[in-house]
Amino acid sequence: MNDFKVNGIVLRAAPFKESSAVLTLLTAERGKMAVVAQGVRKVKKSGLYAQPFSYSEFVLSESKGLPVCRSADLKETFYGLREDMDRLAIGQYLLETSLLVGEDVNDGGDFLKLLLNSLYLLSHKESGISPFVVKTVYELKFAYLCGYGADPDLCSDCGKEALYWSFEEGFLCSDCAASTFAVIHPLSPAVKKAMKHILTTDGIGSYSFKMSEKAFGDLSTLSEKYLEAKTETRFRALEFISKLGSNE
């Protein structure tokens, strides 16, 4: 058998046979992939790499079925997530959305970097960044990586200044918005500025911006509904997160 290495995070672990598990990984080298981790449900300590949120360098062997994990060098577990219910719930939501990365995505580097940066901030309270800010930034960037993004400054139809957002048609000016039958959402200058910052800034810096509580509430609602609409998915974690957000 030929061995190969991938760097990836466990999105999901499902029981397989008596003591093994099938891991769904998001990897830099091969995008999303499923692998077999043999015997990990027998020895919990040595199977830590096989739990959701665990990020490792995996040595895998090709087989007739799924690749088999030969070893794993555990790099990060994002343990801080377990100390805060808000952060854990949003972390689970990020894993759930990452399961939507297409099977045709061979290079998952950008998706993996976005997920790792977001989980790092969620697991480190000392960053001072709200978990709900992390959630919103992740949603917008994830949608962009999936090919759903556009320039929030310009109308998708005519190139004039965009003042509205249609999830079906993109960003629209006043004239184009008036002529569409699609649902449109007004865009305030504060929301447009924050979106522009998020989509054009790389790394941790994209999570740092200032806006009023009301403006952020509008942005947060739009980003969540946009991702749901474009992926045609109702994420299970959102019901719990919405209850947490009401207490934020």
Side-chain angles (χ1 to χ4, degrees):
M1 291 188 238
N2 295 321
D3 289 353
F4 62 97
K5 293 181 179 180
V6 296
N7 291 278
I9 187 169
V10 179
L11 304 179
R12 180 170 60 194
F16 180 66
K17 295 185 177 180
E18 184 177 348
S19 61
S20 300
V22 173
L23 311 180
T24 302
L25 307 179
L26 179 61
T27 73
E29 297 82 2
R30 299 199 178 192
K32 189 178 69 178
M33 63 184 303
V35 306
V36 175
Q38 297 175 325
V40 292
R41 292 192 292 130
K42 275 188 176 180
V43 185
K44 292 184 179 180
K45 185 175 181 180
S46 64
L48 185 61
Y49 74 89
Q51 297 180 9
F53 295 114
S54 292
Y55 174 59
S56 305
E57 181 183 70
F58 294 87
V59 177
L60 307 176
S61 289
E62 300 281 9
S63 65
K64 292 182 180 179
L66 297 176
V68 175
C69 179
R70 295 300 178 192
S71 64
D73 179 12
L74 183 63
K75 297 180 180 295
E76 179 62 74
T77 63
F78 299 104
Y79 183 79
L81 290 171
R82 284 101 173 151
E83 299 176 345
D84 184 289
M85 189 61 70
D86 290 16
R87 295 169 186 274
L88 178 59
I90 292 174
Q92 290 171 333
Y93 169 62
L94 302 193
L95 295 192
E96 189 178 353
T97 59
S98 294
L99 287 168
L100 297 178
V101 173
E103 301 293 345
D104 58 339
V105 176
N106 296 320
D107 180 358
D110 288 338
F111 285 102
L112 181 61
K113 180 181 178 181
L114 173 62
L115 180 58
L116 292 177
N117 283 342
S118 299
L119 292 178
Y120 174 85
L121 292 175
L122 286 175
S123 62
H124 289 77
K125 287 185 178 182
E126 63 272 20
S127 71
I129 297 177
S130 163
F132 294 95
V133 168
V134 174
K135 171 181 174 291
T136 296
V137 172
Y138 180 90
E139 287 166 338
L140 292 171
K141 283 185 168 290
F142 184 83
Y144 186 84
L145 290 176
C146 288
Y148 305 132
D151 187 342
D153 285 337
L154 303 176
C155 177
S156 301
D157 288 345
C158 69
K160 294 181 182 178
E161 181 186 4
L163 298 172
Y164 298 90
W165 191 5
S166 164
F167 296 165
E168 295 83 5
E169 299 182 18
F171 298 100
L172 301 173
C173 67
S174 295
D175 292 338
C176 293
S179 63
T180 184
F181 292 102
V183 176
I184 58 173
H185 307 274
L187 285 175
S188 69
V191 167
K192 286 175 58 177
K193 181 179 179 181
M195 289 183 65
K196 190 75 172 181
H197 171 82
I198 291 167
L199 295 176
T200 59
T201 306
D202 293 329
I204 300 298
S206 61
Y207 303 82
S208 298
F209 53 90
K210 294 181 179 180
M211 59 194 313
S212 70
E213 184 176 343
K214 181 185 181 304
F216 176 72
D218 293 340
L219 175 63
S220 179
T221 298
L222 287 170
S223 66
E224 180 180 303
K225 292 186 179 299
Y226 182 64
L227 186 59
E228 282 192 306
K230 301 306 289 187
T231 61
E232 299 182 336
T233 303
R234 176 60 187 174
F235 299 103
R236 291 181 298 174
L238 282 179
E239 287 187 20
F240 187 52
I241 291 173
S242 64
K243 295 177 182 178
L244 296 173
S246 66
N247 296 323
E248 176 74 354

